[in-house]
Amino acid sequence: MPSTCLKQKGVMLPIALILLVVISILGIMAMRNATVGEQTINAVRTNAATRAAAEMGLRHCEAVVYEISDKPTIPLYAAEAAKIALKGTDGINILTGQNDANALWTVAANWKSTSAYRISMTTANSGFKNPPKCMIEKVKFASGEDGYLITSRGIGNEAEYDDSTGLVKSGAEIWLQSVLMPKTS
């Protein structure tokens, strides 16, 4: 029986290899998108927690100012209120506005734990690794009205905070400010 040589023209092997490459590329892209999505969600979560810490600090210092203006029979924030009296009672160091160049909150050393001006919540009270910090400064506006500039600083739980310098080396940090003008009646 004579042997006949038939040439095969199979295209299945090249098609299978091309499909394998395409599927591999799609799989790599899907993994990369999942990783980027996870990083984005993590950043949003960190930002929200840090903002919550800053707002908690702001509300704490606002409560101190309200207590000063309302003069309750049983003060809750006497130690914090004393820190305000350290600046401004002599009439020399009262700020003239929110953007005064002599503001204490702009100096990193004033945010150290040994600072006489910084008010800090405890870790137990706040639930944060780096508890919220705030500072209250007296302000005398051009209109003649007195007020208080409150600056709050929230530091993320993942942040590297150096208490010896008052600086955040890395991680999330959010600053918030409010100006309160308590009633004088």
Side-chain angles (χ1 to χ4, degrees):
M1 199 180 214
S3 73
T4 57
C5 286
L6 296 175
K7 276 190 164 180
Q8 292 187 8
K9 295 184 179 180
V11 291
M12 280 309 288
L13 182 61
I15 289 175
L17 290 174
I18 290 171
L19 285 176
L20 184 63
V21 168
V22 169
I23 290 172
S24 297
I25 290 172
L26 289 174
I28 290 170
M29 288 173 56
M31 286 186 338
R32 181 176 290 173
N33 284 343
T35 303
V36 169
E38 186 176 327
Q39 289 171 343
T40 303
I41 289 169
N42 216 10
V44 168
R45 186 180 314 121
T46 299
N47 185 311
T50 306
R51 178 171 291 283
E55 287 179 5
M56 184 181 284
L58 196 64
R59 299 302 164 249
H60 180 74
C61 277
E62 286 174 351
V64 173
V65 170
Y66 287 130
E67 183 173 293
I68 292 168
S69 64
D70 293 345
K71 297 180 181 26
T73 55
I74 302 172
L76 299 175
Y77 303 109
E80 287 91 340
K83 290 188 176 195
I84 301 170
L86 292 173
K87 182 173 175 60
T89 54
D90 54 7
I92 298 171
N93 293 320
I94 296 178
L95 299 179
T96 58
Q98 200 170 348
N99 298 320
D100 193 318
N102 297 318
L104 290 171
W105 72 268
T106 61
V107 180
N110 290 334
W111 290 98
K112 299 188 299 187
S113 63
T114 57
S115 171
Y117 306 113
R118 184 187 93 175
I119 296 171
S120 182
M121 299 179 76
T122 64
T123 303
N125 288 346
S126 69
F128 293 97
K129 176 184 154 194
N130 297 302
K133 299 154 186 47
C134 58
M135 197 175 293
I136 305 169
E137 298 180 74
K138 291 184 178 183
V139 181
K140 182 83 158 176
F141 292 99
S143 64
E145 294 179 288
D146 292 328
Y148 295 92
L149 172 65
I150 301 171
T151 305
S152 178
R153 185 178 185 196
I155 299 171
N157 284 335
E158 85 300 340
E160 284 186 47
Y161 175 68
D162 184 1
D163 194 50
S164 65
T165 62
L167 296 173
V168 173
K169 293 179 180 179
S170 67
E173 175 182 30
I174 292 183
W175 295 75
L176 296 175
Q177 284 188 323
S178 67
V179 175
L180 290 182
M181 301 172 92
K183 59 184 182 247
T184 56
S185 57

